[in-house]
Amino acid sequence: MTKLSTQDRPGQLGRSWDGAPQDPAGLRPGARIGTFVRRHRLAPYLLLIPALIGVGWLIVWPTIQVGLFSFQNYGILQLAGVAPTQWVGLANFTAIFKDPEFWVSLRNSCVFAAIVVPLTLVTGTCVGLLLNRLGRRMSVFVSATTLLAWATPTVAATVIFYWIFNPDGGVVDWALARLPTWLGGGAATWAGFNWMSSALPVYTVATLLLVWQGFPFIAVSVLAGLKTVPGELYEAARVDGAGPWQVFWKVTYPLLKPIFLVLLLLSVIWDFGVFPQLYILTGSGANLDEYNLGIYVYQKAFSTPPSYGLGGALALVLTVILLVITVGYVRASIRQGALR
Amino acid sequence: MTTQPGSLRVSGLAPRAVTHRRTSARMRAAALNCAGVLVAVVTLAPIVWMISTAFKPRTEIFSLTPHILPGHPTLSNFDRVFSGSAIGISFWTFFKNSLYVTGAAVLASSLLSLLAAVAVARFRFRFRTTFLILLLVVQMLPQQALVIALFINFRALNLLDSLTGLALVYTAFALPISIWMLHNFVAAVPREMEEAAAIDGAGPARIFWRILFPLVAPGLVATSVFSFIYAWNEYIFALTFLSPNFPAKFTLPIYVTYFMGQRSSDWGAIMAASTLYTIPPIVFFLLVQRKMARGLVAGAVKG
C-alpha cells in the first residue's frame, strides 16, 4: 500500500489520485486531459488557479496599484479622465512628511497601540488562566459570554459604546455624575460630558471598546495553549514551593511564548491602524486631533477633493510599517513550524 | 471531595492539616468563581444594555435614573425599524442585502479555499512555500490602502453601488485565512484512507467527495464561520463602495451607522437595529462554538 505512494515523491498523494486505473476508452477528451495533467503534474496548479485569480486580482494587484499611485498626481480630474496622470516622483511623500497632521496621527496610532495591545493581552491572558482553573460548568459559561462579546459585530459594538458614553442619556455620564467628588466623580464635571469632542476621551472610549472586543480571542488562544501544558509540570513546580506568580513566569510563560509572540504581533497589526471603531466614534473623523493613521489615509484619499496619490503614499507608509511587523509575525509562525 | 491533584500527598498529614487544606481549596474555588462571574458580568454588560434599551419606551431611555431592565417593555422600537418609518426603508431590505453578500462570499470562498487547501496540503510543488507566505502577508495589508485602488477599479467596471462587487471583494479577502486554516485540516486526514480507496478503484472525484470531503467538513464549518463573521462585519469597503445616494443597497453595518447619523437621538430604534444585526452571528457562534475555538487556534497559531 505504502510502496505505491513512495514510488513517486513529488506528487505525494497525487500518486494515489493518479493511481486510479486508466479508463480503457482513453479516447474520451476528458481522459486525454487527465493524462496531460498527470504527466505534467499540473493538478496542484489547477486547484490553485481560482483562488490565485481572486487573491491576485482583488488583493495583490490593487496593492501594486496603490504603490504606483503614490508616485502620481492621481486625483479627481485624473479619475474622470479630464487631466492626464503624471509621475510626480516623491512629491506626495514630501507633502505628507511636511504635514503636521501626519505626525499627529502617527503619534496617536503609536500611543494607542502601545496602550491597547498590552491591556488586551494582559486581560485576555488573565481570563484565559482563569478559564483554565474554573470548574467545567463555570468555564463553559464564562467562555460562552466572552464569545458573545467576540461575535458582536464591530459596528454594533461601536454603536453600543457610542450610546453608553453619549452625553445625552448615556449611562456612563449618569454613573460618573453620581460618584462622590473625591473619587473623581461629580455632576459638575460629568453631567453631559461629551466624550467624542476631543482626542483623549475618544481614545479612552476606543481603548475600552477594543479591549472588550479583543480579549476573548486572546483568552481562547491562551486557554488552548494551556491545555497542551502537561499537568505534571505544575505539580512539580508547586512541590518545589513555587507560588502562582512564579509558576506563571517560570512554567507557563516559557512554554506559551510562541503563542504570546503571535498574539502580540497580531494585536499590534490589528490595533495600529484600526479604522471602523474610531471612524464611527469620532463622527467620520471630523476632528483632526483625533485622527489615527487609518483614518488619515482614508480622509486624504476620499474627502473632497479626493487625492488618491496622497492617499496612496500614506497607505504605502502604513503598509510598510505593518509589513515590518508582519515579517516578525511570519518568522514567528515559521519558527512554530506552521509551514510544514 | 475536591479531588485536587495534590490531595493524595496531603492525606499522609495530620487530619487538622487536611481539613485546613480543604477549606482553603474551597475558598480558592469560591474566589475563582467570583472572578468568573465578574468577567461574565463585565463582558455581558454592553450587550445587555443594548438589548434592554431596544425594549425601553422613550421616557425610560432618557429617564433621570436609568434601570438595567425596562420597566414597561415595548416593541415600538422594533416596529419603527421593521416598518422603516425612521429612514424610509425597512430593516428587511438591508438584512437581505447583508445576507446575499455574506452568503455568496461564504459559499464561494469555501469552495475556492478547499481546492487550494488540497493543493497545498497534498502536493509538493514549486512556489508552495512562497504561496503560503503570500497568504500570511496578504492578511496583514491594511484595507484602507487597498480600498483606494479597488474603488478606482470597481468604478471603471461599474461595480460600485453593487452588492455583487462587495461579494467579490469579501470572497477574495476571506480566502487567505480560509486556505490557511483548511490546509491544516486537509493535512490531518490520513493519506492511507485515500490510497486504500484508490486501490479499490475509486477515481479522484470519488475520493474527494466520499473520503476527503466528509473528513474535512468540520474544518469547512470553522472556516465558513470566519468568512461569515468577516463579511457580516465588513465596514470600510461597504462604506466606500455604497454611496448614500442609493441607501436601498446598504448592508447592515452601513445601515446602522447611517441610521445613527440620521436619527441621532432615537436610541431605542438604533439599539433595536443593532440587536437585530447582532443576532445572526451570535446564533451562528453558539451553534458551532466548540469547533470554532479549535479552528480559531488552528488558523491563527497552527493546530
Side-chain angles (χ1 to χ4, degrees):
Chain A
M1 214 196 311
T2 38
K3 221 183 272 165
L4 207 113
S5 69
T6 44
Q7 278 170 1
D8 179 333
R9 248 349 269 185
Q12 292 188 353
L13 156 111
R15 179 68 211 136
S16 75
W17 288 21
D18 305 346
Q22 289 281 333
D23 199 333
L27 298 168
R28 278 193 309 129
R32 222 176 297 149
I33 294 171
T35 322
F36 182 79
V37 166
R38 242 165 275 157
R39 185 165 310 141
H40 296 272
R41 301 221 174 85
L42 287 179
Y45 300 104
L46 289 178
L47 291 169
L48 276 180
I49 280 174
L52 271 180
I53 290 175
V55 172
W57 174 42
L58 294 166
I59 305 182
V60 176
W61 171 234
T63 312
I64 298 168
Q65 278 180 299
V66 170
L68 296 178
F69 289 159
S70 63
F71 300 101
Q72 294 172 340
N73 65 341
Y74 209 98
I76 189 77
L77 297 176
Q78 286 73 21
L79 184 68
V82 181
T85 311
Q86 285 164 333
W87 296 93
V88 293
L90 294 174
N92 288 327
F93 291 93
T94 47
I96 288 165
F97 293 137
K98 270 193 211 139
D99 186 358
E101 214 43 63
F102 167 75
W103 299 103
V104 170
S105 54
L106 181 66
R107 181 203 65 195
N108 285 349
S109 272
C110 291
V111 173
F112 187 60
I115 291 170
V116 173
V117 170
L119 265 181
T120 316
L121 283 178
V122 170
T123 315
T125 307
C126 288
V127 173
L129 289 168
L130 178 70
L131 288 174
N132 198 34
R133 296 288 305 273
L134 286 174
R136 221 190 107 61
R137 270 205 200 147
M138 195 65 187
S139 173
V140 168
F141 169 67
V142 176
S143 61
T145 60
T146 58
L147 277 177
L148 282 184
W150 199 60
T152 305
T154 305
V155 166
T158 311
V159 170
I160 297 170
F161 272 65
Y162 197 97
W163 160 229
I164 290 176
F165 286 89
N166 199 49
D168 187 15
V171 72
V172 170
D173 278 2
W174 173 82
L176 284 173
R178 263 143 204 82
L179 217 63
T181 328
W182 55 271
L183 272 173
T189 333
W190 296 110
F193 181 80
N194 190 345
W195 291 84
M196 308 311 163
S197 64
S198 63
L200 193 61
V202 163
Y203 277 92
T204 310
V205 176
T207 303
L208 293 172
L209 171 60
L210 267 105
V211 171
W212 184 75
Q213 282 191 288
F215 86 87
F217 176 76
I218 311 287
V220 172
S221 304
V222 168
L223 181 64
L226 285 172
K227 297 275 185 227
T228 64
V229 178
E232 297 88 54
L233 285 177
Y234 290 119
E235 273 292 291
R238 227 170 287 139
V239 170
D240 287 349
W245 185 252
Q246 271 180 309
V247 169
F248 178 78
W249 286 111
K250 296 276 165 68
V251 181
T252 314
Y253 179 72
L255 285 169
L256 297 191
K257 210 171 170 188
I259 294 182
F260 280 122
L261 189 59
V262 171
L263 290 176
L264 172 74
L265 289 164
L266 278 178
S267 304
V268 173
I269 290 164
W270 287 336
D271 296 343
F272 189 78
V274 62
F275 182 79
Q277 293 92 331
L278 272 174
Y279 191 77
I280 296 167
L281 287 179
T282 58
S284 319
N287 190 341
L288 295 174
D289 287 341
E290 299 173 353
Y291 279 20
N292 72 345
L293 267 188
I295 292 181
Y296 189 55
V297 172
Y298 196 79
Q299 291 294 358
K300 274 286 171 232
F302 290 106
S303 65
T304 37
S307 170
Y308 308 110
L310 277 181
L314 265 172
L316 200 67
V317 173
L318 180 61
T319 309
V320 167
I321 296 174
L322 291 181
L323 273 184
V324 169
I325 305 169
T326 309
V327 169
Y329 168 65
V330 171
R331 283 178 53 181
S333 300
I334 291 174
R335 215 170 304 146
Q336 274 189 279
L339 290 182
R340 268 194 310 253
Chain B
M1 286 291 103
T2 47
T3 40
Q4 272 252 309
S7 58
L8 249 175
R9 200 170 298 109
V10 175
S11 60
L13 297 173
R16 255 188 75 183
V18 174
T19 43
H20 178 72
R21 231 343 186 9
R22 262 189 207 150
T23 42
S24 85
R26 207 169 290 159
M27 276 182 50
R28 203 183 308 135
L32 284 173
N33 281 333
C34 283
V37 170
L38 188 73
V39 170
V41 166
V42 171
T43 313
L44 283 181
I47 300 174
V48 168
W49 196 245
M50 166 179 78
I51 299 172
S52 127
T53 307
F55 284 101
K56 279 179 183 172
R58 206 179 155 72
T59 47
E60 280 185 47
I61 291 175
F62 291 102
S63 150
L64 288 176
T65 45
H67 293 283
I68 295 177
L69 295 176
H72 304 278
T74 168
L75 286 174
S76 72
N77 296 321
F78 289 94
D79 220 39
R80 279 205 299 293
V81 169
F82 283 127
S83 70
S85 65
I87 65 163
I89 303 168
S90 164
F91 171 83
W92 292 115
T93 309
F94 310 109
F95 185 78
K96 264 184 265 168
N97 291 348
S98 263
L99 208 61
Y100 165 70
V101 170
T102 308
V106 168
L107 283 180
S109 68
S110 297
L111 181 68
L112 297 193
S113 58
L114 182 58
L115 296 179
V118 169
V120 172
R122 284 302 196 229
F123 295 92
R124 294 284 174 274
F125 54 93
R126 287 187 71 189
F127 308 122
R128 181 178 173 275
T129 313
T130 317
F131 180 70
L132 282 173
I133 291 178
L134 176 80
L135 290 183
L136 277 184
V137 173
V138 142
Q139 286 175 57
M140 305 306 153
L141 292 172
Q143 311 213 326
Q144 294 95 314
L146 294 165
V147 75
I148 299 172
L150 280 170
F151 173 78
I152 290 168
N153 296 348
F154 274 29
R155 189 178 173 277
L157 293 170
N158 237 338
L159 282 172
L160 296 181
D161 291 312
S162 142
L163 294 174
T164 310
L166 274 186
L168 280 173
V169 175
Y170 296 170
T171 304
F173 278 81
L175 278 178
I177 184 105
S178 299
I179 300 173
W180 189 257
M181 282 169 64
L182 265 182
H183 101 268
N184 285 323
F185 280 97
V186 175
V189 174
R191 224 162 248 176
E192 288 76 16
M193 296 185 68
E194 290 160 19
E195 285 163 1
I199 287 169
D200 289 346
R206 214 179 147 80
I207 294 175
F208 181 83
W209 286 113
R210 288 297 177 78
I211 311 250
L212 197 64
F213 186 75
L215 287 169
V216 180
L220 272 174
V221 172
T223 53
S224 59
V225 172
F226 248 96
S227 0
F228 178 91
I229 299 289
Y230 167 70
W232 193 259
N233 280 356
E234 206 289 322
Y235 183 69
I236 189 165
F237 290 115
L239 175 76
T240 316
F241 292 177
L242 307 174
S243 79
N245 303 332
F246 304 99
K249 295 275 186 186
F250 282 173
T251 55
L252 281 172
I254 304 303
Y255 157 68
V256 169
T257 48
Y258 179 76
F259 193 167
M260 197 170 81
Q262 298 285 307
R263 301 279 187 141
S264 52
S265 63
D266 194 355
W267 285 106
I270 297 170
M271 287 298 121
S274 302
T275 306
L276 293 167
Y277 172 42
T278 308
I279 289 172
I282 283 186
V283 168
F284 212 41
F285 249 92
L286 293 180
L287 286 179
V288 292
Q289 194 200 339
R290 277 281 174 73
K291 275 163 201 147
M292 194 57 228
R294 243 194 313 139
L296 207 127
V297 177
V301 191
K302 184 209 162 34

